[in-house]
Amino acid sequence: MRVDLPGSGRGWMARPWRRLLRATADRVTWLDRIRNERRLRRQMQDALGYAPDLRHPRTFNERIARKILDDRNPLIPLTLDKVAVRDWVAGRIGEAFLVPLFGVWERARDIPWDDLPSRFVAKTNHGCAYNILVSDKASQDREAVIRQLDAWMAENYYDCAREWGYRSIPRRILVEEFLRGRQGGVPEDYKLFVFGGQPRLLKVIHGRFTPEERHFYYDPQTFQPLDIGCFRPADYPGDAGPPPEARQLHDLAARLGAPFDAVRVDFYLIDGRPLFGELTHYTGAASLSLGSYEKDLEVGEMWAEALRLKGKAGAARRRWPGRAGQPAPG
């Protein structure tokens, strides 16, 4: 029979020591960084099937991991906050692109349920996938919605995801209009990957929250299907690709993505009109399946190329003497 001695790191001493180490890492920046990097490596290895190189990142997911660990752009927490981002988006592209909002509350029980329409979306502002779609208020269990919102409000999403931008977001509940898609259900999701201020990849999600959900990738300017991810438009002859109205999204995403090295900008198209969904800085938590290591590398190179071009354009503007009011080339 094996007996673990005090100080051996096992048995009755293991849990207190782990709690102490976690508490210390929470307060000491460099320890927290080491812990987060180790966690990311394990997570990515399990999800993607390759050992990530976080010292010399090349793939899309390796670059997202470095963004999680290093990028401290102060706009990241603001734009992850689903309440605060609304004013920021309105200032850059206009209020007309915001989903109608019924209200913001700090407690679920303060929501005036009886005053809400029959369909709405309730969500919290401080995390990912904290959404409840209420398609029929009359048949919805009100107490279940309140319990779920309270549970999310009790969580700090940073403790789950270890993604810096979520660490200090003040927690609130918001209720938005339930958007109807072309078939009356949840609308398609248009996600533009913006690198160096330029949209380089468009992902369209059909059939969200259904067994028929599928994800297609396109060139965001030509709408040419791309061989990325697990689904191919060619395997679904009924898919005609993005509608012509989706061409509006390119410039809108570029304006919203300009302050960041990389960000994903999400939109809906409702009767041909773009509505802003969210900004995502940590797409897939550095574990997004793109179909293969080679495809992951291909998207990572899109990111790197966009930053190189952005750097060259910035250098040209700085060198151009010109005359007053005369812009630099490009």
Side-chain angles (χ1 to χ4, degrees), residues 294-312:
E294 289 72 24
K295 297 301 178 183
D296 200 346
L297 192 60
E298 179 182 336
V299 178
E301 181 52 35
M302 291 180 189
W303 182 336
E305 180 190 28
L307 293 185
R308 286 196 294 270
L309 292 175
K310 181 180 180 180
K312 289 178 181 178

Side-chain angles (χ1 to χ4, degrees), residues 208-224:
R208 291 204 72 184
F209 313 118
T210 73
E212 290 76 36
E213 180 171 313
R214 57 195 186 277
H215 303 185
F216 297 150
Y217 287 88
Y218 302 89
D219 181 292
Q221 290 186 293
T222 66
F223 293 167
Q224 180 71 27

Side-chain angles (χ1 to χ4, degrees), residues 82-83 101 103-105 121-125 172-176:
K82 292 177 175 60
V83 173
L101 179 69
V104 178
W105 297 270
V121 177
K123 60 179 70 172
T124 62
N125 69 316
R172 289 179 283 182
I173 300 166
L174 60 160
V175 177
E176 295 177 337

Side-chain angles (χ1 to χ4, degrees), residues 102-116:
F102 297 122
V104 178
W105 297 270
E106 294 184 356
R107 299 192 315 164
R109 291 201 176 275
D110 292 339
I111 299 172
W113 186 277
D114 295 333
D115 295 338
L116 295 176

Side-chain angles (χ1 to χ4, degrees), residues 34-53:
I34 292 173
R35 176 178 60 178
N36 290 344
E37 183 168 335
R38 291 182 62 189
R39 181 196 59 81
L40 269 173
R41 288 180 186 279
R42 290 194 301 268
Q43 171 187 301
M44 294 172 70
Q45 174 85 54
D46 293 344
L48 301 171
Y50 68 84
D53 183 352

Side-chain angles (χ1 to χ4, degrees), residues 51-78:
D53 183 352
L54 301 189
R55 302 290 179 185
H56 306 93
R58 298 175 62 210
T59 69
F60 171 78
N61 283 295
E62 288 169 346
R63 293 176 187 277
I64 288 288
R66 293 302 337 165
K67 183 178 177 72
I68 292 171
L69 295 169
D70 297 335
D71 194 341
R72 297 299 180 259
N73 184 333
L75 282 177
I76 290 177
L78 183 147

Side-chain angles (χ1 to χ4, degrees), residues 17-28:
W17 274 111
R18 282 199 294 269
R19 284 198 295 269
L20 177 61
L21 287 171
R22 280 197 296 267
T24 303
D26 285 341
R27 293 191 297 269
V28 181

